[in-house]
Amino acid sequence: MSEGPRFTLDGREIPLVPGQTVIEAADAAGIYIPRLCHKPGLEPFGSCRVCTVKANGRSVAACTYPASPGMIVESDTEEVNAHRKLLLEMLFVEGNHFCMSCEKSGNCELQALGYRFAIAAPQLEFQFPVRDVDASHPDILIDHNRCILCSRCVRASRDLDKKEVFGFVGRGPHKRIAVSSGTRLRDTDADVTDQALDVCPVGALLRKRVGFAVPVGQRLYDKVPIGGAPVVPEAPVAEEGRA
Amino acid sequence: MSKPRIATTSLCGCFGCHMSLLDIDERILALAELVEFDKSPINDHKDFTARCAVGLIEGGCANAENVHVLRRFREQCDVLVSVGDCATMGGIPALRNLVPLEECLREAYVDGPSVFNPGGRIPDDPEIPMLLDKVYPAQEVVRIDYHIPGCPPSADTLWKTLTALLGGTSVELPYELIKYD
């Protein structure tokens, strides 16, 4: 075994490079920690909490928490996965996610995590919030019904496209993605080639006229779970109802 | 020993889940060997004749009659299974939850571009079940024991679930069979 700083992740000793976050070290070691708002190449944001792990017994976001030598991290445990599953269910019921008619279905990271965590049906009350769609741009649309506020488009537009097309407005349940105050998407310099369009994990930010191009069965997560690792559900897929 | 009884219904659904059940093809013969169909659109029995082991619920609740039927299923079935996205999440009918009910009715019967209704009357015969304010997934109305998502769930998903339930084993579906679309 090579020398250098290491920490323990689910009982495995893995190396770390000083400055790495827990999720970066895990990725480098080939260990998948579920995540939604985190995307390599974008500045860590830590909003979705799906990557929550226990570091020396404390719950922290693996995407923002620095890895340090000797720390003990638990990720793929019953307790942590139960938290993640609840977070995912909350994301499902607080938006309007109609997978059967969504262009992103099959390639959606929220949906794929639902599959990975064997969520047969969210057991929380569905909110069915009233949200709008901004389809004013000739090539791009924002469907706020599907937005999970991960800020990937905010970061990609700011840091990769150097445009700052997107930002957040409002607080709490009223928080939403917006473009410059008082304008619609067509009034911005958003362009169909923007990298911000490639990073949306759900079907909230889409290019027009290219949906449903890949047949069912050949989409990203039709056969292979997100994160790739073999999934052995803790509970049967068709779970007992709690309602 | 008599065969376990199974009942099915389509509440606010499109019967697609029932069509998917028929998609089990020749396995329908094996299913007929395994179970006795009670109240179901498949045999057109309008009401329960006996207590059932399994009830399959397609569709969510959009009106008072859906709620009545769902509650009757809960009373009459040992195990209740939500089948499909409408029963588990509201599905396509729940798109109306984003629009006030009165607006939906006015669009359908008064203001819609293809509507001919000189009297402007919205159907209100007491025989017509009252619409609910929203479309509700089945588990928000009664306790549901198992949930099978999909629009519709594939025939294989339904077959594996049913045979597991009837065989008394736990329902464990492989990754490819659990889908929301």
Side-chain angles (χ1 to χ4, degrees), chain B residues 155-170:
Chain B
D156 284 341
T157 307
L158 292 171
W159 174 250
K160 272 194 193 297
T161 306
L162 273 178
T163 48
L165 280 175
L166 294 166
T169 56
S170 66

Side-chain angles (χ1 to χ4, degrees), chain B residues 3-4 6 21-22 24-37 159 162-163 166:
Chain B
K3 289 191 261 184
I6 182 172
L21 182 60
L22 296 179
I24 61 176
D25 299 331
E26 74 279 7
R27 288 173 290 185
I28 194 95
L29 298 173
L31 187 62
E33 288 295 311
L34 280 172
V35 299
E36 193 73 53
F37 273 89
W159 174 250
L162 273 178
T163 48
L166 294 166

Side-chain angles (χ1 to χ4, degrees), chain B residues 20-172:
Chain B
S20 196
L21 182 60
L22 296 179
D23 271 345
I24 61 176
D25 299 331
E26 74 279 7
R27 288 173 290 185
I28 194 95
L29 298 173
L31 187 62
E33 288 295 311
L34 280 172
V35 299
E36 193 73 53
F37 273 89
D38 204 277
K39 174 179 165 59
S40 171
I42 288 174
N43 56 15
D44 209 23
H45 284 198
K46 303 298 188 197
D47 204 359
F48 287 95
T49 58
R51 190 165 178 81
C52 291
V54 177
L56 302 183
I57 306 295
E58 171 186 341
C61 287
N63 63 37
E65 198 248 352
N66 296 151
V67 173
H68 171 78
V69 172
L70 181 55
R71 287 185 174 151
R72 182 120 176 89
F73 264 72
R74 185 65 275 179
E75 285 164 12
Q76 292 292 320
C77 301
D78 295 337
V79 171
L80 220 47
V81 185
S82 270
V83 176
D85 284 348
C86 298
T88 57
M89 308 184 195
I92 291 290
L95 281 167
R96 86 148 153 97
N97 294 356
L98 314 180
V99 181
L101 179 57
E102 196 181 339
E103 213 176 298
C104 285
L105 287 168
R106 287 200 66 81
E107 179 70 15
Y109 294 107
V110 182
D111 299 333
S114 61
V115 172
F116 178 74
N117 181 8
R121 188 174 172 191
I122 290 172
D124 57 358
D125 191 293
E127 287 286 309
I128 301 172
M130 286 288 279
L131 287 177
L132 306 181
D133 62 332
K134 285 193 307 182
V135 176
Y136 293 87
Q139 74 269 17
E140 292 188 16
V141 178
V142 300
R143 181 173 55 81
I144 298 290
D145 301 297
Y146 291 93
H147 304 270
I148 311 296
C151 190
S154 72
D156 284 341
T157 307
L158 292 171
W159 174 250
K160 272 194 193 297
T161 306
L162 273 178
T163 48
L165 280 175
L166 294 166
T169 56
S170 66
V171 183
E172 286 181 48

Side-chain angles (χ1 to χ4, degrees), chain A residues 127-142:
Chain A
Q127 303 296 304
F128 295 117
V130 175
R131 297 190 193 160
D132 59 356
V133 176
D134 182 349
S136 60
H137 193 284
D139 302 314
I140 308 165
L141 68 90
I142 305 177

Side-chain angles (χ1 to χ4, degrees), chain A residues 77-128:
Chain A
T77 67
E78 202 174 326
E79 183 193 349
V80 173
N81 283 330
H83 284 304
R84 291 177 180 145
K85 194 171 172 177
L86 184 60
L87 286 168
L88 291 167
E89 291 196 11
M90 288 162 79
L91 287 172
F92 269 109
V93 300
E94 75 172 17
N96 295 309
H97 299 281
F98 293 91
C99 295
M100 71 295 285
S101 55
C102 179
E103 299 95 305
K104 196 75 171 211
S105 190
N107 300 314
C108 168
E109 293 181 37
L110 176 63
Q111 184 192 58
L113 282 164
Y115 295 161
R116 186 182 172 99
F117 284 91
I119 297 173
Q123 295 302 300
L124 306 166
E125 190 181 334
F126 282 79
Q127 303 296 304
F128 295 117

